[in-house]
């Protein structure tokens, strides 16, 4: 069985030394964030995920969820008990606002815990994880009555929530949804709507973990425009919640089937049938898309973390295997002459895969936790300019964290499986599950091509390019400063060069996309990867810098900081070169890509 | 259910126009190879694979193989009947020598058919496919008696064969095998050995398709050196074959269990227990490794074709889905204003994935069939220099076809799944099976890291670099000629530049690997990808050239040749740029990669 150890040491380094959380003590929720408290929360959550959730990961995969003839769904053995422990320990409440029963801690901490949850058991983590997306929408757009009625129990996870967007005929193109919401005029139906339609791919749509499930559903009212401008968001509880908080009638929403999928078998992916179910409007009619994006942006960051998480757990197991498995000899002569063979660690190609994984996971973790701080700063910073900068940066980088993070996370999980040779393909070792589970993150909450267009087609140009200019200014300033430092100069020069390629690609879009928007679309995915590589490069510059400072200050744990410096160098040598190739692909434009008639793609027998 | 159409039109183009098979009429087996015969064989085999094998692909995946308490194994529903049809039609005999009942046709044809087999049903195709590896070893090293006894029925596929190399403690490092072969001295045991040991990951190790199974088994004789120099190869039939060809006693070889794997469920991957089983030495004692490499090289080309094959079938289905599924609008304005949305084909990012797949599959098919011709020329060309050149080229490129072809094949299959969005993750659409099946090809018959070292550490330096110099000379000459042609000049310049990067990387290895062989190991995988991209680039240059000639000559099927030219341009723009980035990674060397102590990889809690 694969193992898991939460990387709490690395998370503490990032939170205390990279982000310097203690410097933000003036912000609400940050006051008590001492290094001690951070350590306690990380260690306890690390222990919980490793000891309670990780042992259920393979069971969840092999058993899957079971739908019964009455439409009820049973989760895999042990999930229900583990979920009760999760609620009891309050792990679902860390980042939620105190006014609704949350602990109000910084997102930096809740993101770190989200990684541990997802590494130990992605399918399990999705049950509470998606609820937090639904919670965000109700916090942002719900009425005070709705907030009071639903939020405390959704935050405590006494009830779980879902997000119902996709329908058989539409996923990305939500303007095409057909689910209808008709105002109910009868007595006692106070402002409710009758919701009718079919939703598919609903994660955690039905299960046995909680007494109630709060569905957030996109639907169209009778006179709504037939486009994304005519979408409204509704709360549709599985059981109607009475005004005293008790559960009333069973609502007309049922799970029609559960999907057989490549992975995340422990999570029930449901077809949900709404048959005149009673729902309540969240916010205004026809403004559902904005509310949906609030859920979605929270969820997208969570999915980016899943990319990191599967890469991390796969990496940990590959490291253990490479230490244990003996095969062949070092190219430089036997490393362990007393043994019949050396460990896999001596082979450069195995090292290449492990170092790639290490450089990605540590850099991506830094980017995710830095991103989490931007989420907090965008709401809580005292200064308007600071709030705006944080909001600009996290808006720009959300599709990058989701899109690049999950593409590369899958790639790393695949390589870690490769370290195992033939054993990587066998189910009992667990490596192939990590790959199958990682695969979904590139698809859901907006496929990565959609993320690329969100970045290149929307975020880049917003407010006259303010966000991307802010990112470039930040990198330029830090590279300029670092170039003066002999220990950082080489890295800074390489990062500056890569950033130059990214700027050139940005400029190329500005000069060419107006004349032919396909030039933008043809390069968007490459651009997303470029920005991911550069953004993580900035994190590595910072980590190399503070590691040098720690070593100069005589840090106890010298090996930890030296490894950061070496891994930064590896990142510069092995990740940054791709940025130039990606730029050249972008500058090739869309002509050859779009030239062929569709008939030229058909396989003529 | 996914569909499949054998790409016979493209195969005919390659065989008749690119390779000009009719020019080789002087070679044995090529005499009758008219365009008409080629077309008939391709069309019939295409029909067979599409109509008989493809419909069993999902059934094989969902049912898998079943091992019974007595050690027997049942293949999925329909496999046995399909296999009987396969034998009846003689599809297994195409490329085999006529003296043993084969049809003696060129490998170019048998490779084309192998692609169709693998696209339509990889798990099924492995049953006869691996037998051909075993056949190669017996042809090369078996005694005339062994050849007469086993080859005709293995070629007709009345019996199937297996290759038994891996043991629990060793895969890549065959010096560590423990299976023992003790000479049997008793009466009637004429020269046989008693084989005892456990072999794992034995594809097609036990099944119900044939009456007998001929296992080729690596084992060590009692006094053999304890290294790869002490390995011998044995024939161990499931049922002893009497001198009159009838089946005698059941041999002491049994299937101990079958593995639960990520994919290729329809093929039985067995743990095989040899318990004093009777076996016969193939060739000389302690010379088993050479015989094994004969099997292995044949198998590696077959695995490279599997990379192509899964990419191809996934591509075909993605094209159909992209034509059918409507979602969103073209960036340049509605393409189908009468519909609620445009097809996926209008979106550049979908096109990017489809064009990537088209450029890879068509280029890789060209490389595989060109490689097949080199196999034939290496044996059959009239001129010694021509035989040597062909042998040099195919030896050099075998690890590239296997390693780059399967890495990229998996990548393409993953992208084709991505075209389906959420539906790609659902089992019933079949796309996720293509990804799971494609994944094994990067691992078996030598993991791709092993291929990379075979290329960079062995093939490159053999005979003073004669093979790689021959490849470079060929590319240089063709680029020089093509640069004079306005229609090809841009492509030729880009390919020349990419080849220059490959030459520089080769030179870097020569200058640095002696001092530190880890520099070679650290760059080997990158180098394999560089050579794959350049070799397929050469194929695209040739395809662009002959397509231009066909168009100039007023070819009927103009759209076909125009698509080749556009796809060549796409390849130059989107594949060749990676070569430069890979070179820079190689030139970074191994210092940062190998620097960290193993303890720095551990996850400290």
């Amino acid at each position: 069985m694969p193992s898991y150890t939460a990387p709490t040491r690395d998370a503490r380094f990032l939170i205390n030394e990279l982000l310097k959380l203690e410097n933000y003590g003036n912000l609400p929720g940050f006051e008590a964030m001492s290094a001690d408290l951070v350590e306690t929360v990380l260690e306890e959550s690390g222990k919980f995920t490793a000891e309670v959730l990780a042992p259920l990961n393979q069971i969840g995969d092999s058993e899957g969820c079971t739908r019964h003839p009455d439409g009820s769904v049973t989760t895999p053995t042990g999930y229900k008990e583990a979920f009760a422990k999760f609620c009891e320990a309050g792990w679902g409440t860390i980042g939620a606002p105190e006014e609704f029963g949350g602990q109000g801690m910084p997102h930096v901490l809740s993101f770190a815990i989200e990684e541990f949850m997802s590494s130990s058991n992605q399918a399990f983590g999705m049950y509470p994880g998606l609820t937090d997306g639904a919670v965000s929408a109700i916090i942002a757009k719900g009425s005070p009555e709705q907030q009071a009625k639903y939020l405390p129990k959704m935050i405590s996870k006494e009830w779980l929530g879902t997000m119902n967007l996709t329908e058989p005929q539409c996923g990305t193109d939500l303007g095409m949804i057909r689910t209808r919401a008709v105002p109910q005029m009868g007595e006692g139906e106070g402002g409710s709507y009758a919701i009718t339609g079919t939703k598919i791919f609903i994660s955690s749509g039905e299960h046995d973990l909680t007494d109630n499930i709060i569905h957030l559903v996109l639907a169209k009212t009778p006179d709504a425009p037939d486009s994304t401008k005519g979408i409204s968001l509704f709360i549709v509880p599985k059981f109607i919640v009475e005004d005293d908080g008790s559960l009333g009638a069973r609502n007309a929403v049922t799970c029609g089937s559960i999907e057989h999928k490549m992975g995340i078998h422990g999570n029930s992916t449901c077809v949900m049938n709404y048959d005149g179910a009673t729902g309540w409007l969240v916010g205004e009619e026809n403004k559902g898309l904005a509310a949906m994006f609030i859920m979605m942006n929270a969820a997208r960051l969570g999915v980016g973390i899943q990319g990191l998480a599967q890469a991390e757990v796969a990496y940990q197991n590959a490291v253990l295997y490479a230490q244990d498995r003996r095969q062949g000899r070092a190219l430089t002569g036997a490393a362990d002459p007393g043994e019949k063979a050396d460990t896999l660690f001596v082979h450069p190609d195995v090292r290449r895969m492990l170092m790639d994984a290490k450089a990605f996971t540590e850099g991506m973790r830094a980017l995710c936790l830095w991103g989490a701080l931007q989420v907090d700063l965008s709401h809580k910073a005292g200064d308007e300019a600071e709030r705006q900068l944080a909001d600009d940066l996290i808006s720009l980088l959300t599709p990058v964290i989701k899109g690049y993070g999950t593409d590369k996370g899958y790639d790393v999980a695949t390589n870690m499986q490769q370290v195992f040779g033939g054993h990587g393909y066998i189910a009992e070792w667990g490596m192939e599950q990590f790959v199958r589970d990682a695969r979904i993150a590139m698809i859901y909450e907006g496929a990565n091509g959609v993320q690329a267009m969100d970045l290149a087609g929307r975020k880049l140009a917003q407010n006259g390019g303010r966000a991307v200019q802010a990112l470039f200014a930040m990198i330029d300033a830090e590279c300029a400063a670092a170039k003066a430092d002999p220990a950082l100069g080489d890295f800074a020069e390489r990062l500056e060069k890569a950033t130059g390629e990214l700027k050139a690609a940005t400029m190329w879009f500005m000069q060419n996309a107006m004349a032919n928007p396909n030039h933008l679309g043809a390069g968007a995915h490459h651009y997303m990867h470029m920005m991911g590589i550069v953004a993580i490069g900035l994190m590595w510059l910072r980590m190399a810098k503070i590691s040098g400072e720690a070593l100069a200050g005589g840090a106890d744990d010298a090996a930890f900081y030296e490894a950061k410096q070496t891994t930064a160098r590896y990142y510069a040598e092995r990740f940054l070169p791709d940025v130039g190739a990606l730029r050249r692909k972008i500058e090739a434009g869309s002509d050859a890509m779009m030239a062929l008639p569709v008939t030229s793609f058909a396989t003529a027998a």
Side-chain angles (χ1 to χ4, degrees), chain A:
Chain A
M1 194 174 79
S3 73
Y4 177 64
T5 303
T8 55
R9 172 72 185 89
D10 201 46
R12 277 193 286 120
F13 162 72
L14 295 172
I15 294 173
N16 296 327
E17 298 176 66
L18 181 80
L19 302 176
K20 298 186 172 59
L21 207 65
E22 288 184 292
N23 288 357
Y24 296 92
N26 59 324
L27 303 187
F30 286 62
E31 306 89 345
M33 283 297 119
S34 65
D36 279 354
L37 179 59
V38 166
E39 180 164 0
T40 303
V41 173
L42 292 176
E43 293 303 331
E44 289 303 313
S45 60
K47 216 173 128 188
F48 174 78
T49 53
E51 293 176 4
V52 178
L53 302 187
L56 299 176
N57 196 35
Q58 273 191 309
I59 295 169
D61 185 61
S62 58
E63 284 187 14
C65 294
T66 309
R67 180 184 173 278
H68 305 287
D70 66 355
S72 66
V73 170
T74 308
T75 53
T77 304
Y79 271 42
K80 207 174 156 132
E81 296 72 17
F83 188 74
K85 288 184 194 165
F86 171 85
C87 294
E88 197 189 337
W91 292 123
T93 67
I94 294 281
E98 288 175 284
E99 60 178 307
F100 303 115
Q103 300 188 51
M105 292 192 197
H107 277 83
V108 174
L109 268 179
S110 59
F111 275 38
I113 298 171
E114 205 164 326
E115 183 203 326
F116 304 166
M117 295 274 295
S118 190
S119 280
S120 60
N121 196 323
Q122 179 172 333
F124 182 97
M126 290 169 65
Y127 289 103
L130 287 164
T131 303
D132 291 332
V135 163
S136 315
I138 298 177
I139 289 177
K141 302 288 179 181
S143 67
E145 293 73 24
Q146 289 171 338
Q147 294 178 342
K149 191 176 240 180
Y150 298 105
L151 288 178
K153 291 191 173 170
M154 291 177 78
I155 285 169
S156 71
K157 305 298 184 290
E158 186 174 334
W159 301 338
L160 288 175
T162 70
M163 295 163 34
N164 289 239
L165 285 62
T166 304
E167 300 183 5
Q169 78 289 351
C170 70
T172 300
D173 189 353
L174 291 171
M176 291 167 77
I177 68 171
R178 292 184 190 145
T179 298
R180 293 285 145 188
V182 179
Q184 301 193 114
M185 301 304 174
E187 211 169 320
E189 290 172 336
S192 71
Y193 292 71
I195 313 284
T196 302
T198 299
K199 296 286 181 178
I200 65 170
F201 301 159
I202 307 310
S203 298
S204 321
E206 179 60 72
H207 54 76
D208 56 0
L209 299 182
T210 54
D211 295 334
N212 204 5
I213 301 172
I214 311 302
H215 303 290
L216 289 190
V217 183
L218 289 185
K220 286 184 174 174
T221 52
D223 302 321
D226 191 17
S227 73
T228 54
K229 296 197 174 89
I231 297 172
S232 303
L233 181 68
F234 298 88
I235 294 174
V236 186
K238 177 177 168 185
F239 288 95
I240 304 292
V241 181
E242 304 295 349
D243 288 340
D244 65 358
S246 65
L247 297 188
R250 178 72 165 84
N251 209 344
V253 47
T254 51
C255 166
S257 65
I258 55 179
E259 305 284 0
H260 295 96
K261 315 183 294 287
M262 185 181 195
I264 52 167
H265 296 160
N267 195 276
S268 56
T269 305
C270 300
V271 174
M272 299 301 294
N273 296 320
Y274 292 84
D275 190 15
T278 300
W280 286 270
L281 184 66
V282 181
E284 292 175 55
E285 269 193 27
N286 299 338
K287 303 280 186 193
L289 204 67
M292 187 279 292
F293 269 115
I294 289 165
M295 291 200 282
M296 193 50 87
N297 279 326
R300 284 177 177 176
L301 288 170
V303 174
I305 292 172
Q306 290 175 353
L308 161 63
Q310 292 309 303
E312 168 68 27
V313 67
Y315 164 71
Q316 290 186 13
N317 284 280
V319 167
L320 294 173
Y321 189 78
Q323 279 180 292
D324 193 50
R325 176 81 168 173
R326 292 182 176 276
Q327 208 76 180
R329 286 295 184 194
L331 295 170
T332 48
D336 295 329
E339 302 278 350
K340 290 234 4 164
D342 294 335
T343 69
L344 295 188
F345 251 104
V346 306
H347 300 302
D349 196 61
V350 171
R351 281 270 187 161
R352 175 185 64 81
M353 294 189 280
L354 294 174
M355 284 296 295
D356 258 24
K358 186 173 173 66
F360 170 68
T361 53
E362 295 180 10
M364 178 71 181
R365 181 175 299 117
L367 184 65
C368 289
L369 295 187
W370 171 85
L373 182 60
Q374 307 314 307
V375 171
D376 282 323
L377 290 174
S378 73
H379 293 119
K380 296 179 172 176
D383 176 39
E384 166 62 22
E386 211 182 336
R387 286 199 299 276
Q388 186 185 81
L389 175 64
D391 190 56
D392 281 351
L393 290 173
I394 193 60
S395 297
L396 180 73
L397 287 167
T398 293
V400 176
I401 288 171
K402 197 281 185 184
Y404 176 71
T406 60
D407 279 354
K408 186 70 190 171
Y410 175 72
D411 184 47
V412 166
T414 298
N415 277 338
M416 296 303 93
Q417 180 190 22
Q418 189 76 10
V419 170
F420 281 68
H423 299 280
Y425 203 66
I426 306 299
E428 67 177 296
W429 287 89
M431 298 304 289
E432 58 93 37
Q433 183 189 346
F434 298 140
V435 175
R436 288 186 289 104
D437 287 356
R439 183 67 185 88
I440 188 58
M442 297 154 76
I443 298 173
Y444 61 14
E445 313 308 347
N448 285 356
V450 173
Q451 305 298 324
M453 282 307 292
D454 181 44
L455 172 66
R458 184 174 0 193
K459 299 292 174 62
L460 214 49
Q462 262 174 2
N463 304 307
R466 193 174 66 201
V468 75
Q469 294 306 332
L471 177 69
F472 289 155
M474 189 164 74
I475 299 173
D476 287 346
E478 295 185 42
C479 283
K483 280 201 298 187
D485 181 339
L488 299 171
D490 182 63
F491 189 101
E493 272 174 33
R494 288 168 185 259
L495 180 61
E496 193 173 61
K497 180 159 179 276
T499 308
E501 309 272 18
L502 182 62
K503 287 177 186 172
T506 312
M507 186 65 74
W508 192 90
F509 279 154
M510 286 172 61
Q511 289 166 343
N512 292 280
M514 199 72 96
N516 181 356
N518 281 339
H519 287 332
L520 186 85
H525 193 271
H526 302 312
Y527 188 83
M528 178 173 75
H529 275 232
M530 289 179 84
M531 192 174 278
I533 296 168
V534 166
I536 292 178
L538 176 64
M539 296 299 129
W540 273 115
L541 175 62
R542 292 178 179 182
M543 290 193 283
K545 182 166 178 284
I546 57 176
S547 294
E549 289 162 2
L551 288 166
D556 284 344
D557 193 0
F560 179 85
Y561 297 104
E562 284 160 6
K564 288 287 178 202
Q565 292 181 311
T566 300
T567 310
R569 180 180 159 196
Y570 183 88
Y571 189 87
E573 291 173 354
R574 286 284 195 301
F575 282 67
L576 293 181
D578 286 330
V579 173
L582 290 164
R583 171 189 166 187
R584 286 200 290 285
K585 294 180 193 183
I586 289 171
E587 291 177 354
S590 63
D591 293 348
M593 188 183 283
M594 305 303 287
L596 291 181
V598 170
T599 47
S600 288
F601 291 83
T603 304

